[in-house]
Amino acid sequence: MLRVGLLGAGRIGQVHAVGIAGNARSSLVAVSDVHTESAQKLAAAYGAQARSSDDILADPEIDAVLIATSTDTHSDLIEAAAKAGKAVLCEKPVDLSLERAQQCLKAVEGTGKPVMIGFNRRFDPNFAALKASLQKGQIGKAELLAVTSFDPAPPPVSYIKVSGGLFRDMMIHDFDMANFLMGEAPVTVRAVGSSIVDPEIGAAGDVDTAVVTLTYADGRIAVIKNSRRAVYGYDQRVELLGSDGLLQAGNMLENTVVRSTVDGVVSGKPTYFFLERYMPAYAAEWQAFVDAVLDGAKMPVTLQDGIAALAMAEAATESARTGQAVDLKG
Amino acid sequence: MLRVGLLGAGRIGQVHAVGIAGNARSSLVAVSDVHTESAQKLAAAYGAQARSSDDILADPEIDAVLIATSTDTHSDLIEAAAKAGKAVLCEKPVDLSLERAQQCLKAVEGTGKPVMIGFNRRFDPNFAALKASLQKGQIGKAELLAVTSFDPAPPPVSYIKVSGGLFRDMMIHDFDMANFLMGEAPVTVRAVGSSIVDPEIGAAGDVDTAVVTLTYADGRIAVIKNSRRAVYGYDQRVELLGSDGLLQAGNMLENTVVRSTVDGVVSGKPTYFFLERYMPAYAAEWQAFVDAVLDGAKMPVTLQDGIAALAMAEAATESARTGQAVDLKG
Amino acid sequence: MLRVGLLGAGRIGQVHAVGIAGNARSSLVAVSDVHTESAQKLAAAYGAQARSSDDILADPEIDAVLIATSTDTHSDLIEAAAKAGKAVLCEKPVDLSLERAQQCLKAVEGTGKPVMIGFNRRFDPNFAALKASLQKGQIGKAELLAVTSFDPAPPPVSYIKVSGGLFRDMMIHDFDMANFLMGEAPVTVRAVGSSIVDPEIGAAGDVDTAVVTLTYADGRIAVIKNSRRAVYGYDQRVELLGSDGLLQAGNMLENTVVRSTVDGVVSGKPTYFFLERYMPAYAAEWQAFVDAVLDGAKMPVTLQDGIAALAMAEAATESARTGQAVDLKG
Amino acid sequence: MLRVGLLGAGRIGQVHAVGIAGNARSSLVAVSDVHTESAQKLAAAYGAQARSSDDILADPEIDAVLIATSTDTHSDLIEAAAKAGKAVLCEKPVDLSLERAQQCLKAVEGTGKPVMIGFNRRFDPNFAALKASLQKGQIGKAELLAVTSFDPAPPPVSYIKVSGGLFRDMMIHDFDMANFLMGEAPVTVRAVGSSIVDPEIGAAGDVDTAVVTLTYADGRIAVIKNSRRAVYGYDQRVELLGSDGLLQAGNMLENTVVRSTVDGVVSGKPTYFFLERYMPAYAAEWQAFVDAVLDGAKMPVTLQDGIAALAMAEAATESARTGQAVDLKG
C-alpha cells in the first residue's frame, strides 16, 4: 500500500484525489495547497490530513507525492521530494524553462528515486490501444502521424499570460504523444501559429491556432494541429499511416444515440473536455505509477520524457516566431 | 446519508457494493450472504459488517436494503424488509411467479415503504438519452419500437434450469424497456422461440433465440429480439420509429480505434457483457434510488413495473409454447 | 446482343430503359404503354419504336421483354410473352392472386422460356455483399434475421386501394429478401399490422405499419418491420445473426459530410427513395438477366421465387386479419 | 448540343468519353490519340470518328475539345484550341512549367474562348456538399483546413520521373482543394517530404510522403498530407475547423456491410482508386462545363485556378528542397 501526499488541491488535484483514494494499492494520507482551505476541504472528503508541503515531504511515513501545483513550482518540488526519498508523479509540464528542467533532472538522478511525468493521454484506452496495435505490427512500419487536439474553448487571457504559450501549455501533450507513438524524438521542428480565435490571445503574445510539422531521422513525418476552440467539444484524435495500413483513434461521445429526422442524422458530441474524456486515463496513469513504484518497475513516463516534450515546445515556439525550421539537438 | 445493508454478496452484489460505497449520500454498513465467507470478504473490503439477513432487517440503524440474492428469495425479502421499515431496492425479476409477486405487492403496499426494482437499463446513459429525446418530442409520436438484446454466450444449462426461462430471466429487461419507452403496457403478446444455439437448452425446456411482438391499444407495435449468443460481445440496442424520425441507441465499444488494412476496416467490439456495459447504469440507478428515498420522491421504477414486466414474460412463455397470441389483462 | 421490348413506360419502365439502353449486351428496340404518348416519348429518347404490346410480342426480331406494366396485367403478359418465345423479366409482384400466379407458372413451364422476377434488392451491392459473406461462412450458420424496410412517405390512398395491401405491395420485397438470405421458405408466418401513419389507409382496409415473424423448420427465425413513413428517407437495412457473428447492411447516404457544432454531430441522411438507393441494383439486375439469357444460364430469380414471396404475403395478410399464425404449405 | 472532340484516348480519356457520350447536352464526335489504334477503338465504341488533333481543331463543326493528352502537350493544345475557337476543358495540371502556363494564359485571354481546368474533386458530391455547408455559414468562419490525400499504391518509377514530382502531379489537386475551400491563395508555403514508401522514388529525385503547411494573410492555416501508399484504398478526406464547428468529408466505401465477430467489427474499405471514387465527380464536372459553355456562364474552374495551384506546387517543391518557407507572390 502506497501512502501518498497530494501537493495541490485545485481542479487537477481533485481529479487525482479520486484516483489515489479509489486505488486498492494506494491511500491518500495528506493534502497541501497554498490555499489552506482548499487543502482542508479536499483532505476532509477523503479522511486525509491537510498539511504543508514541507511537512508532507518531511514525513517518513509518506511514500510518494503527487505534484499538482502551479507549473512554476514543479522543478523545486520534484527535487525536494526526490531528495526526501519520495516517489514522484508530477503533472506536466516539468517546467516552462527547458534549462531549469534539465537541472532538475540532474538533481533527481542523484537520488535514485523514481519520477514520473503526468502525460495522461498515454493511458487513454483509445490511444493505448492504438499504440498496442502498432507494436503488434498491425500496420507495419509507421510513416506519417497526424495528431488533432482542439480544446472546446480558450482559457482566460490571464491564464494564457502565465501559461508559457500554446506550445508549452497545450501542444506539449501532443509532442509527448508523437514521442510515444514514433518511439523517438524528431530532428526538426517547423511551426506556424496565429491568433484567429481571439485577438486578445495574440495581444498577449500567444497563438490560439497552430500547426507543427516534425521530421524524423529516417524520413518519417508527424503533423500536429491545435486550436483553442472547437465549439462542439474536446476533439482529441490520432491517425497513423503505416506501410500496411492506417490506425485512427477517435473521440469518446456523450452517448450512442442517433436521431434521424428530415434535418439530418444527429449523433452525440465528443465528451466536453479533458475531465470527461480522460478520467479513465487518469485512473490508469495512477495505477501504472503505483504498480511501478510498488513492484520496482521502470516508470512508464520519465522525467526525460517530460524534458523531451519541453524541448520540442521550445523549438516550436521559436520556429513560430522566426518562421524558420529549428533543429533539435540529439 | 443512507445506511445500507446489502443482501447477497455474489457477482451482482459486488457490483452494487461499489456503487453504495462510492456514493456520497450512502454508506454500506452491512452485508449478508448464504455463504458467510463471501459476505465477510465483501464486507471487509468496504469496512462494513458481515451479518445475517434477519439481523440486518432487525437493525433500526439501517435505512435501506439492496436485495441481490437468488430470485426465489426476492418476494419474501421484499416483504420482510418493507415490514421492517426499510426502503428496498431489489434486483429483477421480482419473482418467477406472477401470483407470488402480486401478493408481495399487496403486502408491501400496506407498509407504505418505497420499493424499487432494479431495471438498470433504464439508467444506461444511452437509453436514458433516447427516452429524453422522445419526451422532448424530437421524433414526434412513437410508432414502432425494436429492441435487440443478445448475450455474448449462454449461461450453464444448470443455471437455465432454475432461471424461469429466457422470457423471465433475460427478456424481462426488454419487456421493461418497452414499458419504459412506450409508456404503457401492451395489450397482446406474441412469442416465438427455439433452441438453435445449444440443443441442451432446448432439452432443458427453454429457448435460446426468441422474437416477441407486442401490440398496443392505439396500434403501436414493438418487437424484441433475444439471443443467448452473440460471439462479438453484449449487443444491446434500441430503435424507435416515430412520426417525425428515428431514434437509435447503440452499443458502447471497447475503444474508438479503427484499423484500415487490405483486409478491411476494423473497429472495436461492443464491451463484453453487462458488467462492462452497464456499470455506469448501476451507479446511476443507485443514485436515483438514494435521491428518491432521501428526498421523499417517487421511486423511478416501482414494484408495479416489476410485476408488469413479469406478466409480459409469463404471457410470452405461454405464447411461445402454444403458438397463440396471448392477451394481457388490463 | 439482346433486342428488348419494354412493356410499360411509367416510372419504373423509365428506370429500366436507362439500364437496357446503357448495357453493352442489350438494346432497347421497342416500347409500349397504355398511354401511347408515354411510349412515344420514352421510345424517342432512346431511338426505339413505340408499338403496341401485341405487336412487340409478335415481332420475331425481339428477343426479350421487360414487363413494367400495372400488376393486374403481369400474369397475362408473362404467359403471352413466354408463349411468343421471349425471355421475360417481369417486375414484382407476379400477381395479386397467388392462384393466378400458380396458373401462370404452369403455363410458362410448358414453353421452356426463361422468366425472371424483378426482385431488385438481391442485386443491391450491400445486400449482395452481405449474402456473399454469409455464403463464405464468415458468420457461421444463420440463426436470426431482421429486415427493416421503411418508405419515406406513404403513397396516395388511391394507390393503396389497388395495391393488394402492404404485405403484397411493399413487404413482398422483404419476403424475397428473407428467402434469398435464409435459403428456403419459412414454415409459419405471424403478422401484426395497424394504420397509425394515416387513418385513411386503415379506412381503405390496409395497414401502414407491420411486423412479421417467420419461423423455419430448423428453428431459425426472421422478423420483418415495415412502415410507410420514415421522414428521414428510405430506410433499408438487413441484420443477420449467425453462430459466429453478425452481418449488417446499412443505408447509402446522400454524402459523407459530417458537421459538428454545439447542436450535435450531423451526418447525411439515407438516399431519399428506391430510385436513388437502388439505381445500381436495377443495373446489376438487368446485367444478370442479360447474361443469363445470352449465356444460357439459370435465371438468378425465378417465377417460383416470385410465387414463394407472394404466398408469404398472402399468409401475412391473413395472419394480420385473424390474429392467428398461418402455416405455409411445403 | 455541344459537339465534342476528345484529344487523348488513354485511361482518363476513356473516363471522359463515358461522360461526354452519356450527357444529354453533348455528343462525342471525334477522338484523337498518338496511338491511332487507341483512338480508333474508343471512337468506334461511341460511334465517333478517329481523327488527328489538327484535324479536330480545324473542324468548324466541333464546338469544344477535352484535352486528356500527356501533360507536356497541354499548353500547346489549349492555345491551339482556343485560337481555333473551341471551348476547352483540359486535364490538370496545366503544365509542369509555371512560366509556360502563364504564357498560355496570356495567349488564351486574347481569344476570349472559355478554358476550364479539370480539377474534378471540386465536383465530388462530398467535397461539394462540404463547400456548400461552409458557404451557408454552418460552421462560421473557416480557420484551419486539413486535407488528407493518399493513393493506394505508388505509380511506376518511370512515371514518377516524367510526372514533375509529387507536388505538381499529386498534391496539385489538394492545392486546388485548399484554394476552393479557403477562397483565396495562401501567402506562404512550407513543405517537408521524404521517400519512405519506396527508396527508388527518392533515387528518382522525388518524394512519396509529404506534408505542406499553408498560411493565409488573415492568419488562417491549411495543412495537406500526401502519401503514395495507403494499402487499404484511396483515402481522400477533408476536414475544416471553423469558428462555429467542424466539417468533415470522408471516403466512399465499397459497401455498407459491417461484420461483427470475435475478431472485431469489420466495415468496407474505401473505394479503390480515383476511377471508383470520382466517377460521379467526372460526370458532374463535365455537366458543369457543358452548361457553362452552352449557357454562356462563367467557367467553374479557370485557367487562372490551374496556374494558382501550379504556383503552389512549384513553391512546395522548392520548400521541400531547401527546407525554407517560400512566399507566394500576390
Side-chain angles (χ1 to χ4, degrees):
Chain A
M1 177 67 74
L2 201 70
R3 287 153 305 172
V4 182
L6 171 62
L7 312 186
R11 190 167 58 167
I12 192 67
Q14 291 164 32
V15 168
H16 285 300
V18 176
I20 299 168
N23 192 293
R25 302 187 84 189
S26 66
S27 64
L28 181 61
V29 298
V31 180
S32 72
D33 198 279
V34 288
H35 301 95
T36 317
E37 212 177 318
S38 302
Q40 285 169 337
K41 201 172 153 195
L42 189 58
Y46 291 94
Q49 283 183 291
R51 301 167 67 180
S52 74
S53 295
D54 286 351
D55 224 36
I56 290 173
L57 295 183
D59 184 345
E61 299 290 307
I62 291 179
D63 307 310
V65 293
L66 195 156
I67 302 174
T69 54
S70 63
T71 299
D72 58 343
T73 65
H74 285 182
S75 292
D76 291 347
L77 285 172
I78 292 172
E79 284 186 22
K83 284 175 185 167
K86 313 297 181 207
V88 177
L89 172 52
C90 181
E91 265 302 314
K92 66 88 220 172
V94 178
D95 205 291
L96 294 185
S97 153
L98 179 57
E99 202 186 341
R100 177 71 188 90
Q102 283 162 335
Q103 290 170 351
C104 178
L105 174 62
K106 242 180 237 169
V108 161
E109 280 174 343
T111 69
K113 300 310 296 179
V115 176
M116 175 166 158
I117 300 300
F119 283 124
N120 56 295
R121 294 183 195 176
R122 293 191 181 206
F123 301 94
D124 173 74
N126 309 297
F127 297 142
L130 187 151
K131 166 95 171 182
S133 174
L134 175 67
Q135 285 182 315
K136 275 185 234 161
Q138 293 183 324
I139 60 156
K141 188 178 160 298
E143 292 174 349
L144 180 51
L145 172 70
V147 179
T148 298
S149 184
F150 300 158
D151 281 356
V157 173
S158 57
Y159 173 83
I160 294 278
K161 285 178 180 164
V162 300
S163 70
L166 178 141
F167 299 108
R168 282 186 189 89
D169 175 59
M170 180 176 173
M171 200 182 280
I172 197 159
H173 275 296
D174 307 302
F175 290 132
D176 182 65
M177 184 56 63
N179 292 344
F180 177 56
L181 294 175
M182 299 300 258
E184 63 175 335
V187 291
T188 307
V189 176
R190 283 169 176 82
V192 299
S194 60
S195 67
I196 46 180
V197 168
D198 183 354
E200 297 222 11
I201 291 174
D206 199 3
V207 297
D208 50 41
T209 305
V211 171
V212 167
T213 308
L214 308 172
T215 57
Y216 293 81
D218 57 2
R220 294 181 300 161
I221 303 172
V223 60
I224 299 169
K225 291 179 293 164
N226 269 192
S227 168
R228 288 283 193 185
R229 181 184 60 199
V231 298
Y232 51 92
Y234 197 44
D235 194 347
Q236 301 275 304
R237 288 172 285 143
V238 162
E239 184 169 314
L240 179 54
L241 179 68
S243 52
D244 294 339
L246 180 80
L247 288 171
Q248 296 169 292
N251 292 309
M252 305 297 293
L253 303 185
E254 295 170 326
N255 58 59
T256 63
V257 175
V258 176
R259 185 174 80 246
S260 302
T261 70
V262 286
D263 297 322
V265 176
V266 184
S267 310
K269 291 188 286 184
T271 48
Y272 184 65
F273 208 172
F274 69 97
L275 291 184
E276 290 82 8
R277 165 70 185 262
Y278 289 126
M279 199 52 93
Y282 285 116
E285 175 189 77
W286 179 250
Q287 186 69 55
F289 173 74
V290 170
D291 289 348
V293 173
L294 291 181
D295 304 342
K298 201 177 154 292
M299 283 288 119
V301 196
T302 64
L303 190 46
Q304 284 89 334
D305 289 326
I307 288 172
L310 188 57
M312 292 160 76
E314 199 145 296
T317 305
E318 185 191 336
S319 175
R321 188 177 51 77
T322 63
Q324 303 298 318
V326 174
D327 292 336
L328 286 172
K329 286 147 210 140
Chain B
M1 178 66 74
L2 202 69
R3 288 154 304 174
V4 182
L6 172 61
L7 313 187
R11 190 168 57 167
I12 193 67
Q14 291 164 30
V15 168
H16 286 299
V18 177
I20 298 169
N23 192 292
R25 302 187 83 189
S26 66
S27 65
L28 181 61
V29 299
V31 179
S32 71
D33 199 278
V34 289
H35 300 96
T36 317
E37 212 179 317
S38 301
Q40 285 169 338
K41 202 173 152 191
L42 189 58
Y46 291 96
Q49 283 183 290
R51 301 166 69 180
S52 74
S53 295
D54 287 349
D55 224 35
I56 290 175
L57 295 183
D59 185 344
E61 298 291 306
I62 290 180
D63 305 311
V65 294
L66 195 157
I67 303 175
T69 53
S70 62
T71 299
D72 56 343
T73 65
H74 285 183
S75 292
D76 291 347
L77 286 172
I78 292 172
E79 284 186 22
K83 284 175 182 164
K86 313 298 180 208
V88 177
L89 172 52
C90 181
E91 266 301 315
K92 65 88 221 171
V94 178
D95 205 291
L96 293 185
S97 154
L98 178 57
E99 201 185 343
R100 177 70 189 90
Q102 283 162 335
Q103 289 170 353
C104 178
L105 174 61
K106 243 181 238 169
V108 162
E109 279 175 341
T111 68
K113 301 310 297 181
V115 176
M116 175 168 159
I117 299 301
F119 283 124
N120 56 296
R121 295 184 194 175
R122 292 191 182 206
F123 302 93
D124 173 73
N126 309 297
F127 298 142
L130 187 152
K131 165 96 172 183
S133 175
L134 175 68
Q135 286 183 315
K136 275 185 233 160
Q138 294 182 325
I139 60 156
K141 188 178 158 299
E143 292 174 349
L144 180 50
L145 171 70
V147 178
T148 298
S149 184
F150 300 157
D151 281 356
V157 173
S158 58
Y159 173 83
I160 295 277
K161 285 178 179 162
V162 299
S163 70
L166 178 141
F167 299 107
R168 283 187 189 87
D169 175 60
M170 180 177 173
M171 200 182 280
I172 196 158
H173 276 296
D174 307 301
F175 290 132
D176 182 64
M177 183 56 63
N179 292 343
F180 177 56
L181 294 174
M182 298 301 257
E184 63 175 336
V187 290
T188 306
V189 176
R190 282 170 177 81
V192 298
S194 59
S195 67
I196 46 181
V197 169
D198 183 352
E200 296 222 9
I201 292 175
D206 199 3
V207 297
D208 50 41
T209 305
V211 171
V212 167
T213 308
L214 308 172
T215 57
Y216 293 81
D218 58 1
R220 293 181 300 161
I221 303 172
V223 59
I224 299 168
K225 290 179 292 162
N226 268 193
S227 169
R228 288 284 193 185
R229 181 185 59 200
V231 297
Y232 51 92
Y234 198 45
D235 194 346
Q236 300 276 305
R237 289 172 285 143
V238 163
E239 183 169 314
L240 180 54
L241 179 67
S243 52
D244 295 339
L246 180 79
L247 288 171
Q248 297 169 290
N251 291 310
M252 306 296 294
L253 304 185
E254 292 170 328
N255 59 59
T256 64
V257 174
V258 176
R259 185 175 79 245
S260 302
T261 71
V262 286
D263 297 323
V265 176
V266 183
S267 311
K269 292 187 287 183
T271 47
Y272 184 64
F273 208 173
F274 68 97
L275 291 185
E276 291 81 9
R277 164 70 186 262
Y278 289 126
M279 199 53 94
Y282 285 116
E285 174 189 78
W286 180 249
Q287 187 68 56
F289 173 75
V290 170
D291 289 348
V293 173
L294 291 181
D295 304 341
K298 200 175 155 293
M299 283 288 118
V301 196
T302 64
L303 190 47
Q304 283 89 334
D305 289 326
I307 289 171
L310 188 57
M312 292 159 76
E314 199 145 295
T317 305
E318 185 190 336
S319 175
R321 188 175 52 78
T322 64
Q324 302 298 317
V326 174
D327 292 336
L328 286 173
K329 286 147 209 137
Chain C
M1 177 67 75
L2 201 69
R3 288 153 303 171
V4 181
L6 171 61
L7 312 186
R11 189 167 59 167
I12 193 67
Q14 292 164 31
V15 168
H16 286 299
V18 177
I20 299 168
N23 191 292
R25 302 188 84 188
S26 67
S27 66
L28 181 61
V29 299
V31 179
S32 73
D33 198 279
V34 288
H35 301 97
T36 316
E37 214 178 315
S38 301
Q40 285 169 338
K41 203 173 152 192
L42 188 59
Y46 291 95
Q49 283 183 291
R51 300 167 70 180
S52 74
S53 295
D54 286 351
D55 226 35
I56 289 174
L57 295 183
D59 184 343
E61 298 291 305
I62 290 179
D63 306 311
V65 295
L66 194 156
I67 302 174
T69 54
S70 63
T71 300
D72 58 341
T73 66
H74 285 183
S75 291
D76 290 348
L77 286 172
I78 291 172
E79 283 187 21
K83 284 175 182 164
K86 312 300 182 207
V88 177
L89 171 52
C90 181
E91 266 300 315
K92 64 90 222 171
V94 178
D95 205 291
L96 294 185
S97 153
L98 178 58
E99 202 186 341
R100 177 70 189 91
Q102 283 162 336
Q103 290 170 352
C104 178
L105 173 62
K106 243 180 236 169
V108 161
E109 280 175 343
T111 69
K113 300 309 297 181
V115 176
M116 175 166 158
I117 300 301
F119 284 123
N120 56 295
R121 295 183 194 174
R122 292 191 181 206
F123 302 92
D124 173 74
N126 309 298
F127 298 143
L130 187 152
K131 165 95 171 184
S133 174
L134 175 67
Q135 286 183 316
K136 275 185 234 160
Q138 294 182 323
I139 58 155
K141 190 179 160 297
E143 292 175 347
L144 179 50
L145 172 70
V147 178
T148 298
S149 184
F150 300 157
D151 281 355
V157 173
S158 59
Y159 173 82
I160 294 278
K161 285 178 179 164
V162 300
S163 69
L166 178 141
F167 299 108
R168 283 188 189 86
D169 176 59
M170 179 176 173
M171 199 181 281
I172 196 158
H173 275 296
D174 307 302
F175 291 132
D176 182 65
M177 184 56 64
N179 292 344
F180 177 55
L181 294 174
M182 299 299 259
E184 62 174 336
V187 290
T188 306
V189 176
R190 284 170 176 80
V192 298
S194 60
S195 67
I196 45 180
V197 169
D198 183 353
E200 297 223 9
I201 291 175
D206 200 3
V207 297
D208 50 40
T209 304
V211 172
V212 168
T213 307
L214 308 171
T215 57
Y216 293 81
D218 57 2
R220 294 182 299 161
I221 304 173
V223 60
I224 300 170
K225 290 179 292 162
N226 268 193
S227 169
R228 287 286 193 183
R229 181 184 58 200
V231 298
Y232 51 92
Y234 198 44
D235 194 347
Q236 301 276 303
R237 289 172 283 142
V238 163
E239 184 170 314
L240 180 53
L241 178 67
S243 52
D244 295 338
L246 180 79
L247 287 171
Q248 297 169 292
N251 291 309
M252 305 297 294
L253 304 186
E254 293 170 328
N255 59 59
T256 64
V257 175
V258 177
R259 185 175 79 246
S260 302
T261 70
V262 285
D263 297 324
V265 176
V266 183
S267 309
K269 291 187 288 182
T271 48
Y272 183 65
F273 208 173
F274 68 96
L275 292 184
E276 291 81 7
R277 163 71 186 261
Y278 289 126
M279 199 53 93
Y282 284 115
E285 174 188 78
W286 181 249
Q287 187 68 57
F289 173 75
V290 171
D291 289 349
V293 173
L294 291 179
D295 304 342
K298 201 176 155 293
M299 285 286 118
V301 195
T302 63
L303 191 46
Q304 284 88 335
D305 289 326
I307 288 172
L310 188 57
M312 291 159 77
E314 200 145 294
T317 305
E318 185 191 337
S319 175
R321 188 176 51 78
T322 63
Q324 303 298 317
V326 174
D327 291 337
L328 287 172
K329 286 147 209 139
Chain D
M1 176 66 74
L2 201 71
R3 287 154 305 173
V4 182
L6 172 61
L7 313 186
R11 189 167 59 167
I12 192 68
Q14 292 164 31
V15 168
H16 285 299
V18 176
I20 299 169
N23 192 293
R25 302 187 83 188
S26 66
S27 65
L28 182 62
V29 299
V31 179
S32 72
D33 198 279
V34 289
H35 300 96
T36 317
E37 212 179 318
S38 301
Q40 285 169 337
K41 201 173 153 193
L42 189 58
Y46 291 95
Q49 282 183 292
R51 301 167 68 179
S52 74
S53 295
D54 287 351
D55 225 34
I56 289 173
L57 294 183
D59 185 344
E61 299 291 306
I62 290 179
D63 307 310
V65 294
L66 195 156
I67 303 174
T69 54
S70 62
T71 300
D72 58 343
T73 65
H74 284 182
S75 291
D76 291 348
L77 286 172
I78 292 172
E79 283 186 21
K83 284 176 183 165
K86 313 297 181 210
V88 178
L89 171 53
C90 181
E91 266 300 315
K92 63 90 218 170
V94 179
D95 205 291
L96 295 184
S97 153
L98 179 56
E99 202 186 342
R100 178 70 190 91
Q102 283 161 336
Q103 290 170 353
C104 178
L105 174 62
K106 244 181 236 169
V108 161
E109 279 174 342
T111 69
K113 301 308 297 180
V115 176
M116 174 167 159
I117 300 301
F119 283 124
N120 56 295
R121 294 183 195 175
R122 292 191 182 205
F123 302 93
D124 173 74
N126 308 298
F127 298 143
L130 187 152
K131 165 95 171 181
S133 174
L134 175 67
Q135 286 182 314
K136 276 185 233 161
Q138 293 183 324
I139 60 155
K141 188 177 161 299
E143 292 175 348
L144 179 51
L145 172 70
V147 179
T148 298
S149 184
F150 300 157
D151 281 356
V157 173
S158 58
Y159 173 83
I160 294 279
K161 285 178 179 164
V162 300
S163 70
L166 178 141
F167 299 107
R168 283 186 189 88
D169 175 60
M170 179 177 173
M171 200 183 281
I172 196 159
H173 275 296
D174 307 302
F175 290 133
D176 182 66
M177 183 56 64
N179 292 344
F180 177 56
L181 294 174
M182 298 301 258
E184 63 175 336
V187 291
T188 306
V189 176
R190 283 170 176 82
V192 299
S194 60
S195 67
I196 45 181
V197 169
D198 182 354
E200 297 223 9
I201 292 175
D206 200 4
V207 296
D208 50 41
T209 305
V211 172
V212 167
T213 308
L214 309 172
T215 57
Y216 293 81
D218 58 1
R220 293 181 300 162
I221 303 173
V223 61
I224 300 169
K225 291 178 293 164
N226 268 193
S227 169
R228 287 285 192 185
R229 181 185 58 199
V231 297
Y232 52 91
Y234 198 44
D235 194 347
Q236 301 275 304
R237 287 172 285 142
V238 163
E239 184 169 315
L240 180 54
L241 179 68
S243 52
D244 295 339
L246 180 81
L247 287 171
Q248 296 169 292
N251 291 308
M252 304 297 294
L253 304 185
E254 293 170 327
N255 59 58
T256 64
V257 174
V258 176
R259 186 176 78 244
S260 301
T261 70
V262 286
D263 297 324
V265 176
V266 184
S267 311
K269 291 187 287 183
T271 47
Y272 184 65
F273 208 173
F274 69 97
L275 291 184
E276 290 81 9
R277 164 70 186 262
Y278 289 127
M279 199 52 92
Y282 285 116
E285 174 188 77
W286 180 250
Q287 186 69 57
F289 173 75
V290 171
D291 289 348
V293 173
L294 292 180
D295 305 341
K298 201 175 155 293
M299 283 288 118
V301 195
T302 64
L303 191 46
Q304 284 88 334
D305 289 326
I307 288 171
L310 189 57
M312 291 159 77
E314 200 145 294
T317 305
E318 185 190 337
S319 175
R321 189 177 50 79
T322 63
Q324 302 299 316
V326 174
D327 293 336
L328 287 173
K329 287 146 210 141

